Amino acid sequence: MEPERVDVTRSFLPPKEEYMAYVDTIWNSVCLTNQGPLVQEVNAKLQSFLGVQHFEFVSNGTVALMLALHVLDISGGEVITTPFSYVATTSSILWQENKPVFVDIDPETMCMDPNKIRKKITSKTKAIMPVHVFGMPCDVEAIEAVAEEYKLKVIYDGAHAFGAVYKGRSLLDYGDITTCSFHATKLFHTIEGGAVIAKDSKVNKKIQLAMRFGHNGDMHYQLGINGKCSEFHAAMGLANVKYLPELIEKRKHLSDTYDEALRGHVKLLEPVSGLQRNYAYYPVIFRSETQRQKVQSALNEGNIFPRRYFYPSLNRLPYVQGDPCPISEDIASRILCLPLYPSLEQSDQQRIIRLILDKLVK
């Protein structure tokens, strides 16, 4: 009999009755959206959990990036970014009519290499948009120093960073703005959703307006879009948030098991000083693209489906003209994210490990 399918992730769902208790309140209030009480509650709880000054719960992580660029007036210029990310990072830059300028990555953290930023800055550069890949921190101090020197805004894509703490602060508490994603595949999710975290109160007020069409009642102040999330999405967040410490602990246990079995056979994420990890992903880098292909095929034959986070390197997208980024392109060809989620059975994880080692030790 074919073994049960194992995907790279599986969305966590709280006990159904806990979610339905919130749904009952929605039915009773007949308030479905437009900053209802549950949206306000989850906004306040997440802001408190993260310990940040400003926090706006929005419809998804891509809209969060677009809002960040819009309220900082980053359009019609160049935005320095990383080629090693999900396509939404680059898409948001293009959608705001900017040109993405790619800076290659550090091979250890897989985040933007700050030593390569200065060479990419021109008179058209308006901002830097790095990504905390797999919850690993960018070199925030070095990036901040470059930004201050050249008077540039810094927008961090923190889609992977929720729950990660760096040097005593939430990893989402850096830069002029940091965005986050609460998509169903994420460590913490609201089915669909995201957040914009701003440092400045005036910028935060612009975000509040921009995400609600740019008006307050009959008074119209600025250009806006619909970035709101519904009460049903907020309900899922409220039902999920209390489980976050437990989910991270389970992910840590699974990651430790992978580490013990695979260290020395593949390249793994290494500890970063000052980082309290969130264990959102488990990436492994193989020695060659051929080796990665063999392992991926063996896993697929066993009904196991890891994912190539991230492929292709975004400088190779057919609709952008990016300079070569050899480190990103190389790692993109050799990386797989292995299945990692709290309900992953021990027997399935051991099967994954056996299939990988069987291909690597031959």
Side-chain angles (χ1 to χ4, degrees):
M1 187 174 71
E2 186 177 57
E4 184 179 352
R5 179 183 173 106
V6 177
D7 288 301
V8 67
T9 191
R10 179 176 293 176
S11 299
F12 171 77
L13 288 172
K16 189 175 180 180
E17 61 273 16
E18 294 183 13
Y19 178 69
M20 292 307 296
Y22 286 110
V23 171
D24 286 343
T25 69
I26 298 171
W27 240 258
N28 291 334
S29 70
V30 200
C31 179
L32 307 184
T33 187
N34 288 342
Q35 304 306 115
L38 298 187
V39 165
Q40 294 180 47
E41 184 180 351
V42 78
N43 205 88
K45 281 194 173 181
L46 295 177
Q47 181 174 342
S48 175
F49 175 85
L50 295 169
V52 295
Q53 271 192 303
H54 307 291
F55 181 97
E56 296 300 328
F57 179 49
V58 299
S59 54
N60 59 65
T62 307
V63 163
L65 287 167
M66 293 167 62
L67 284 165
L69 289 162
H70 175 71
V71 299
L72 293 178
D73 196 26
I74 310 298
S75 63
E78 295 177 351
V79 176
I80 291 174
T81 191
T82 173
F84 196 71
S85 179
Y86 183 58
V87 68
T89 310
T90 293
S91 298
S92 68
I93 293 169
L94 291 167
W95 211 264
Q96 295 301 114
E97 299 185 345
N98 294 291
K99 177 184 177 182
V101 176
F102 296 102
V103 167
D104 213 347
I105 60 174
D106 181 311
E108 298 303 317
T109 65
M110 290 175 273
C111 297
M112 180 190 292
D113 187 341
N115 298 311
K116 298 175 180 176
I117 295 175
R118 283 183 173 84
K119 291 183 179 179
K120 297 289 187 175
I121 295 174
T122 72
S123 60
K124 297 179 181 179
T125 306
K126 292 195 171 187
I128 306 171
M129 187 183 282
V131 180
H132 298 303
V133 180
F134 306 128
M136 300 293 280
C138 296
D139 189 336
V140 293
E141 293 87 0
I143 291 170
E144 182 180 347
V146 174
E148 286 187 359
E149 180 181 348
Y150 290 91
K151 303 295 187 290
L152 301 173
K153 298 295 185 182
V154 179
I155 301 168
Y156 283 106
D157 182 338
H160 291 186
F162 189 86
V165 176
Y166 184 57
K167 297 187 176 181
R169 293 163 57 190
S170 167
L171 192 49
L172 302 177
D173 193 32
Y174 291 87
D176 294 286
I177 292 178
T178 296
T179 67
C180 198
S181 170
F182 302 141
H183 184 263
T185 57
K186 296 294 188 288
L187 165 69
F188 166 79
H189 78 87
T190 58
I191 308 173
E192 289 280 3
V196 189
I197 298 106
K199 281 291 180 58
D200 185 81
S201 59
K202 291 181 180 179
V203 171
N204 188 63
K205 289 185 185 300
K206 289 183 179 180
I207 293 165
Q208 291 175 336
L209 279 169
M211 65 180 281
R212 300 166 202 164
F213 299 101
H215 72 87
N216 188 359
D218 291 335
M219 299 300 294
H220 291 251
Y221 298 96
Q222 66 185 59
L223 178 66
I225 58 173
N226 185 1
K228 303 187 303 297
C229 229
S230 79
E231 291 288 273
F232 293 92
H233 294 88
M236 183 60 74
L238 289 168
N240 278 343
V241 68
K242 70 178 181 181
Y243 293 100
L244 191 61
E246 176 187 338
L247 298 179
I248 291 176
E249 186 58 34
K250 288 181 177 179
R251 286 172 174 270
K252 180 182 185 302
H253 176 74
L254 291 164
S255 296
D256 288 346
T257 300
Y258 276 136
D259 282 351
E260 185 177 351
L262 298 177
R263 187 171 299 283
H265 298 284
V266 291
K267 183 177 176 62
L268 307 176
L269 287 181
E270 297 297 341
V272 172
S273 177
L275 175 67
Q276 182 181 320
R277 286 181 60 187
N278 62 4
Y279 301 94
Y281 298 85
Y282 195 87
V284 295
I285 303 173
F286 296 93
R287 293 189 180 94
S288 66
E289 184 174 11
T290 299
Q291 189 181 69
R292 190 269 308 156
Q293 288 172 332
K294 288 181 179 179
V295 169
Q296 189 170 4
S297 294
L299 291 170
N300 290 169
E301 289 170 10
N303 215 22
I304 298 163
F305 297 90
R307 183 153 175 200
R308 299 177 71 183
Y309 291 148
F310 293 103
Y311 185 86
S313 182
L314 297 176
N315 61 301
R316 302 294 298 273
L317 288 171
Y319 46 86
V320 301
Q321 294 181 335
D323 292 335
C325 294
I327 298 174
S328 176
E329 292 168 35
D330 175 51
I331 290 177
S333 73
R334 297 187 288 123
I335 195 168
L336 282 180
C337 275
L338 301 183
L340 181 68
Y341 47 89
S343 60
L344 180 64
E345 297 288 346
Q346 182 180 1
S347 58
D348 284 328
Q349 185 179 31
Q350 290 302 318
R351 189 161 60 92
I352 292 164
I353 290 168
R354 285 195 303 271
L355 285 168
I356 293 172
L357 293 179
D358 181 59
K359 289 297 178 182
L360 295 185
V361 299
K362 285 184 177 179

